[in-house]
Amino acid sequence: MKAITVELGQNSYPVLVGSQLMESIGDFLQFDFGRTVIIEDAVAGGLYGDRIEASLSTKGNVLRLPIEPGELSKSWKAAGDLLERIAAFGLSKGDLLVSLGGGMAGDLTGFVAASYMRGVRFVQVPTTLLAQVDAAIGGKTGVNLSSGKNLAGAFHQPSAVICDVATLKTLPPRQFRSGMAEVVKYGLCFDLNLLSANFLGAVSSDEALLESLVLRCVQIKADVVAEDVWDVGPRMVLNYGHTLGHALEAAGGYSRFTHGEAISAGMMCAAYLALDLGILDVSGVDVHRDALGRAGLPLTVKAAPTELPLFMERDKKSARWVLLEGLGHPVVRSEIEESRILDAMQKVLE
Amino acid sequence: MKAITVELGQNSYPVLVGSQLMESIGDFLQFDFGRTVIIEDAVAGGLYGDRIEASLSTKGNVLRLPIEPGELSKSWKAAGDLLERIAAFGLSKGDLLVSLGGGMAGDLTGFVAASYMRGVRFVQVPTTLLAQVDAAIGGKTGVNLSSGKNLAGAFHQPSAVICDVATLKTLPPRQFRSGMAEVVKYGLCFDLNLLSANFLGAVSSDEALLESLVLRCVQIKADVVAEDVWDVGPRMVLNYGHTLGHALEAAGGYSRFTHGEAISAGMMCAAYLALDLGILDVSGVDVHRDALGRAGLPLTVKAAPTELPLFMERDKKSARWVLLEGLGHPVVRSEIEESRILDAMQKVLE
């Protein structure tokens, strides 16, 4: 097991990466607490909940609150229902919340932890590749409103993040590949080594390889978060591929494409746009194509331009894009001519 | 008009105190914004909403969202409904929320502002004495859960607080007196001048006197908040009279007693307890009795000991009490013998 610290002064916390960590979670936490409430994705809870409960119940009573998998659980009402049950359980300021599952469980639990008694400690136990390399780190929590995803939320840093790569073995391949899109994103924007044949050929059964891969991504994310904890500037570069990606996810009702599939096409679109603007060369675009292809991700997706909120907006020029000024050098651009945006978008829509 | 700054580094903000300020609110705000959503207590909105709207609409569109007066509006569901309407209105990070009304409107609006897009600017326009001298300042926001008041919330400092003492003219006398209990609290704990005949005889029609009184209280609150923004220590002394006071409010279903009536009896109880413990002398207790009496507040309340959650708790010794080690010297004590607590409580229950 290895540890990386997210350096945020008094709010610093460790991200532990290793295998078979569930049995020992209680031993890893370097702070006092009494009772625990575990908010668990029902699938992840079924697989790992008993082991975590056993580890934490040496400190005090444990209440487990299962939530249905899927974005619909990430609602204002669901957060309120969880808060009522936590309050009835009598959780206090010196106690602990744990999230077990993917990004949905982490975002929802984080917001509940931020809101309960104006903030209690919480620990993230992400069980998807996407959550281990991205969502669980950085303190952005939230729930969806009718008008958009994550529109209600809080910044609330976890007290620890525990990434057990053994959990990735049970992921459906399509969900594993969805996480690989974020890995490719880190590779293109920060560290080309992540695009090596080894990493992109990673399968969920090779724990040693997965551990190195998750560690490297966690380090990158931790560095960016430390630089911009409130997400007012530099952190924007983590949104590479997300401008079109988010539009595709919304157009597909958050079910047609995985997050990774959407941002894979989004990164290809950003590459074509950068090529068109003359800031990225053809070989840079080829690296995108090659890396995403080897990770099993789509270079184009089936969607009509008219489905995309981004396309329908009158003021397309105000959209902000992360683009690469050469591989490894992300920059934020807006005020891009509409025709260039449409051209690049159409290259990735079937 | 006078201004006091709550000194919180980058999160510092002014509290403006004066008369007839509603027409000019837009001019007082030293930051840029576009659109505004006003969340208004329906009564306060009826009295002042049009003037505030007129002042702010020079910057951008204004949406007014009335809420029913009373604690029932301070719910998780109400916050969610407001968030949905704000999102549908398209409020963005550069826009503004305004709360207009008493503590309920401020607490609810503050929590909505903290949660919308993980935090947007908000301005407090408190229209009760209680909110002007206490609730509107300090960034504690929240809503009630079934298990207790303010159990869900956030720390989110306003960008400005605007106390128009002319609004106090329209307060029902009982509500005005409720605010005077906090004034007496500041007097007993921090500044005996506040207990002078002038101040305690203040009526809502004497604007000059009210302005001095509110200013002095705001300064005290601002100093305590600056010392302990996250409410982990020194700020606890602001809870003088609140240990029994909160129990009385809960026992009375938040309708039998006003907040001020409950903490008035709570302060008397704390005085008797301090006397019994030998840290406050008889003349100190007399000052309590005299000040609260002149402010028109009850020294005893009709409630049976068995109604009080505090009384029913098995572990009464763990309760924390703010007590006066002599007037003007609040200290926090716990581990007080049960019999002493019961004796003091019974002196204020009829």
Side-chain angles (χ1 to χ4, degrees), chain A residues 39-346:
Chain A
I39 298 179
E40 55 188 46
D41 172 285
V43 173
L47 291 166
Y48 316 111
D50 289 349
R51 279 183 270 166
I52 297 182
E53 180 179 354
S55 171
L56 295 172
S57 62
T58 58
K59 311 265 180 173
N61 287 342
V62 176
L63 172 69
R64 289 169 60 182
L65 298 176
I67 44 175
E68 282 306 302
E71 280 293 306
L72 284 181
S73 294
K74 220 176 98 176
S75 70
W76 186 264
K77 182 176 183 307
D81 292 345
L82 290 167
L83 284 162
E84 288 288 0
R85 295 190 62 183
I86 290 166
F89 180 63
L91 203 78
S92 75
K93 272 280 191 187
D95 293 329
L96 181 66
L97 269 174
V98 171
S99 76
L100 173 62
M104 182 278 287
D107 288 356
L108 175 61
T109 305
F111 182 53
V112 167
S115 302
Y116 187 63
M117 293 184 160
R118 300 194 186 98
V120 294
R121 279 184 185 281
F122 86 115
V123 167
Q124 295 258 24
V125 185
T127 58
T128 66
L129 182 58
L130 192 60
Q132 291 189 1
V133 300
D134 185 17
I137 304 149
K140 282 167 82 168
T141 75
V143 299
N144 306 325
L145 299 179
S146 311
S147 304
K149 280 187 76 173
N150 296 318
L151 270 182
F155 286 95
H156 188 58
Q157 300 293 340
S159 295
V161 181
I162 295 169
C163 300
D164 186 337
V165 297
T167 64
L168 307 180
K169 289 185 190 175
T170 61
L171 285 185
R174 191 178 173 205
Q175 212 180 338
F176 184 80
R177 288 196 299 270
S178 180
M180 287 303 289
E182 297 287 354
V183 176
V184 173
K185 179 194 79 177
Y186 290 122
L188 292 168
C189 294
F190 302 100
D191 182 357
L192 292 174
N193 292 327
L194 276 169
L195 306 182
S196 76
N198 262 359
F199 278 133
L200 291 191
V203 284
S204 55
S205 55
D206 187 339
E207 289 187 2
L209 188 59
L210 282 174
E211 196 174 313
S212 322
L213 182 151
V214 171
L215 264 176
R216 182 67 193 114
C217 293
V218 165
Q219 185 66 63
I220 293 169
K221 175 96 190 227
D223 290 346
V224 176
V225 167
E227 204 184 337
D228 180 20
V229 62
W230 303 110
D231 194 20
V232 292
R235 198 158 163 175
M236 172 73 188
V237 297
L238 294 174
N239 281 342
Y240 188 55
H242 286 57
T243 305
L244 180 63
H246 283 159
L248 285 169
E249 286 187 275
Y254 298 97
S255 60
R256 199 189 323 166
F257 313 114
T258 65
H259 180 66
E261 288 161 2
I263 68 163
S264 179
M267 287 189 277
M268 284 310 302
C269 173
Y272 292 128
L273 194 49
L275 178 70
D276 186 28
L277 291 166
I279 59 176
L280 183 73
D281 60 19
V282 173
S283 68
V285 179
D286 287 341
V287 170
H288 281 67
R289 205 177 277 123
D290 177 61
L292 293 167
R294 278 187 296 125
L297 289 158
L299 306 179
T300 60
V301 292
K302 280 195 207 311
T306 48
E307 285 182 286
L308 303 183
L310 188 70
F311 182 87
M312 303 304 287
E313 263 171 35
R314 246 170 291 164
D315 184 18
K316 286 187 231 358
K317 281 182 70 175
S318 72
R320 296 198 305 163
W321 293 79
V322 182
L323 298 176
L324 297 186
E325 266 186 7
L327 295 172
H329 296 100
V331 294
V332 180
R333 288 282 190 94
S334 59
E335 302 296 320
I336 297 172
E337 292 115 287
E338 190 171 320
S339 61
R340 291 180 192 267
I341 296 173
L342 295 183
D343 282 354
M345 276 170 57
Q346 261 147 356

Side-chain angles (χ1 to χ4, degrees), chain A residues 76 115 117-118 141 151 153, chain B residues 76 84 115 117-118 141 151 153:
Chain A
W76 186 264
S115 302
M117 293 184 160
R118 300 194 186 98
T141 75
L151 270 182
Chain B
W76 186 263
E84 288 288 0
S115 302
M117 293 183 163
R118 301 195 185 96
T141 74
L151 270 182

